[in-house]
């Protein structure tokens, strides 16, 4: 389990990735995303999660450069979008992402969704980029167990990460166990269920016990489950709040209480019918 904001998890290819980061989905390109990235880095975040689909890769790159922290100390993830999938088109999409970010390598490149009939060849393009040293690690997002099983039959480089929707209303136990067995790190998107979990009475009650907000309780619960988490915020106050989770420990009883909130409810699409 990570013990600080900059603490890292060792991925299955030996690369280290911060266990906590900033997500920037729905953060406007330009000043807004530049400011969010700079604020996060000032607070101590060392990982930023973007995607070509978010249309803010230029600002993410700009924010990282303006932060004054050396590039190699910041872990940058991007993803190949659904309409870019296929072998050659993925290679082209990667060049566009890297050009927009203004980087010469990515730390992590993910297949954003398992597009039927395309995700294997898309992943094979990621393997080429990995073998050429253009990316330090490759992985997937929104993969169910059956997608991973079919990918593992055909790939030569195991994905390091599966980034999926994961929060107290969607604990994905079977998928989590499978990823643990296969040494594929689980990463949580929409950890706060896009804000919808913040009025959940149990989370408020648990938070009061520790003097923490529901958001902090959820993010701490992620960390204690060894799940990498990337909450999104554009507010400096909430960027700080979300990261202030390394000064308390949820008891086993409270962890179980939060686990029991699961109702298998998604805020986004099910990867089988998106
Ligand atoms: N791979 C995928 O398919 C996929 C899909 C979705 C998301 N993601 C990634 O995961 C990241 C996080 O997910 P998300 O952006 O969907 O949702 P989220 O992080 O669960 O929630 C973000 C929402 O919560 C608010 N918020 C953040 N911190 C708060 C706090 N402490 N108190 C109250 N409200 C707070 C934010 O508003 P303010 O900005 O106003 O604070 C925003 O409206 C994304 O940004 C993206 O990088 C990946």
């Amino acid at each position: 389990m990570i013990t600080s904001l900059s603490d890292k998890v060792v991925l299955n290819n030996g690369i280290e990735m911060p266990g906590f980061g900033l997500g920037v989905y729905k953060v406007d390109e330009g000043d807004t995303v530049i400011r969010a990235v700079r604020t996060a880095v000032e607070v101590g975040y060392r990982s930023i999660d973007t995607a070509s689909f978010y249309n803010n890769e230029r600002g993410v790159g700009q924010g990282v450069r303006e932060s004054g922290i050396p590039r190699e100390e910041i872990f940058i993830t991007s993803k190949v979008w659904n309409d870019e999938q296929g072998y050659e088109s993925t290679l082209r999409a990667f060049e566009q992402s890297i050009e927009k970010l203004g980087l010469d390598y990515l730390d992590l490149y993910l297949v954003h969704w398992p597009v039927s009939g395309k995700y294997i060849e898309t992943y094979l393009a990621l393997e080429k980029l990995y073998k050429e040293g253009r990316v330090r690690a490759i992985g997937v997002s929104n993969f169910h167990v059956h997608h991973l099983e079919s990918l593992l039959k055909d790939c030569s480089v195991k994905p390091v990460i599966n980034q999926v929707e994961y929060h107290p209303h969607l604990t994905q136990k079977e998928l989590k166990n499978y990823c643990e067995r296969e040494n594929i790190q689980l990463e949580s998107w929409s950890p706060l269920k896009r804000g919808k979990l913040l009025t959940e009475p149990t989370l408020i009650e648990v938070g009061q016990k520790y003097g923490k907000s529901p958001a902090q309780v959820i993010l701490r619960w992620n960390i204690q489950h060894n799940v990498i988490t990337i909450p999104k915020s554009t507010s400096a106050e909430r960027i700080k709040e979300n990261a202030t989770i390394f000064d308390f420990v949820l008891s086993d009883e409270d962890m179980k209480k939060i686990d029991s909130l699961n109702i298998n409810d998604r805020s986004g699409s099910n990867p089988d019918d998106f």
Side-chain angles (χ1 to χ4, degrees):
M1 185 176 72
I2 61 161
T3 57
S4 73
L5 188 50
S6 56
D7 207 1
K8 292 170 179 146
V9 171
V10 182
L11 304 175
N12 68 28
N13 68 345
I15 292 292
E16 293 185 327
M17 173 176 182
F20 190 94
L22 179 77
V24 295
Y25 180 38
K26 295 198 173 173
V27 178
D28 288 343
E29 177 62 299
D31 286 348
T32 311
V33 76
I34 294 171
R35 207 172 334 109
V37 169
R38 283 184 52 170
T39 304
V41 175
E42 266 165 40
V43 167
Y45 288 59
R46 289 293 177 270
S47 170
I48 312 289
D49 181 87
T50 186
S52 63
F53 180 65
Y54 303 169
N55 275 319
N56 56 19
E57 289 171 309
R58 282 190 201 283
V60 167
Q62 186 68 21
V64 168
R65 279 186 297 281
E66 288 181 12
S67 75
I69 299 288
R71 153 71 184 103
E72 59 277 12
E73 289 178 26
I74 302 184
F75 193 99
I76 301 171
T77 301
S78 194
K79 317 181 189 85
V80 51
W81 184 240
N82 303 344
D83 65 6
E84 298 167 328
Q85 291 199 27
Y87 191 84
E88 293 298 334
S89 49
T90 295
L91 296 176
R92 284 195 297 275
F94 173 78
E95 295 304 334
Q96 281 170 17
S97 281
I98 218 86
E99 185 274 320
K100 287 183 182 160
L101 284 156
L103 302 176
D104 46 17
Y105 69 91
L106 263 185
D107 294 283
L108 177 63
Y109 199 37
L110 303 178
V111 179
H112 208 143
W113 287 85
V115 174
S116 179
K118 290 250 173 106
Y119 68 86
I120 304 269
E121 48 169 324
T122 300
Y123 189 82
L124 296 180
L126 266 56
E127 287 191 345
K128 174 178 159 68
L129 295 166
Y130 178 68
K131 287 172 184 164
E132 289 173 354
R134 309 290 309 282
V135 294
R136 296 175 67 229
I138 55 175
V140 296
S141 177
N142 299 304
F143 275 42
H144 282 319
V145 169
H146 72 87
H147 298 117
L148 288 168
E149 279 172 342
S150 77
L151 180 66
L152 292 184
K153 277 193 219 119
D154 286 322
C155 71
S156 62
V157 179
K158 203 177 212 186
V160 295
I161 288 270
N162 187 16
Q163 183 188 112
V164 299
E165 182 173 354
Y166 177 89
H167 46 63
H169 278 174
L170 184 69
T171 54
Q172 308 240 40
K173 244 181 156 178
E174 189 204 342
L175 179 65
K176 185 168 183 285
N177 289 339
Y178 178 87
C179 287
E180 277 167 8
R181 274 200 311 278
E182 289 294 338
N183 198 11
I184 297 169
Q185 173 67 48
L186 202 69
E187 181 176 17
S188 156
W189 64 252
S190 291
L192 309 176
K193 205 182 179 189
R194 301 191 169 139
K196 292 186 210 93
L197 269 168
L198 304 178
T199 49
E200 164 66 54
T202 304
L203 297 171
I204 295 173
E205 183 200 308
V206 171
Q208 278 164 352
K209 221 165 112 181
Y210 299 90
K212 292 286 173 184
S213 68
Q216 290 170 319
V217 168
I218 298 170
L219 298 169
R220 178 73 209 178
W221 169 84
N222 273 236
I223 299 299
Q224 287 185 217
H225 271 313
N226 292 315
V227 173
I228 294 181
T229 191
I230 45 168
K232 171 262 174 188
S233 183
T234 48
S235 136
E237 204 179 299
R238 291 189 284 278
I239 287 173
K240 277 190 210 121
E241 175 189 329
N242 292 344
T244 313
I245 56 168
F246 297 99
D247 54 358
F248 75 113
V249 179
L250 293 166
S251 67
D252 288 349
E253 195 195 337
D254 288 330
M255 286 294 288
K256 287 196 187 105
K257 219 186 251 180
I258 301 167
D259 291 341
S260 73
L261 296 175
N262 181 47
I263 47 171
N264 298 324
D265 187 43
R266 295 174 184 274
S267 68
S269 306
N270 184 321
D272 273 336
D273 40 51
F274 64 98

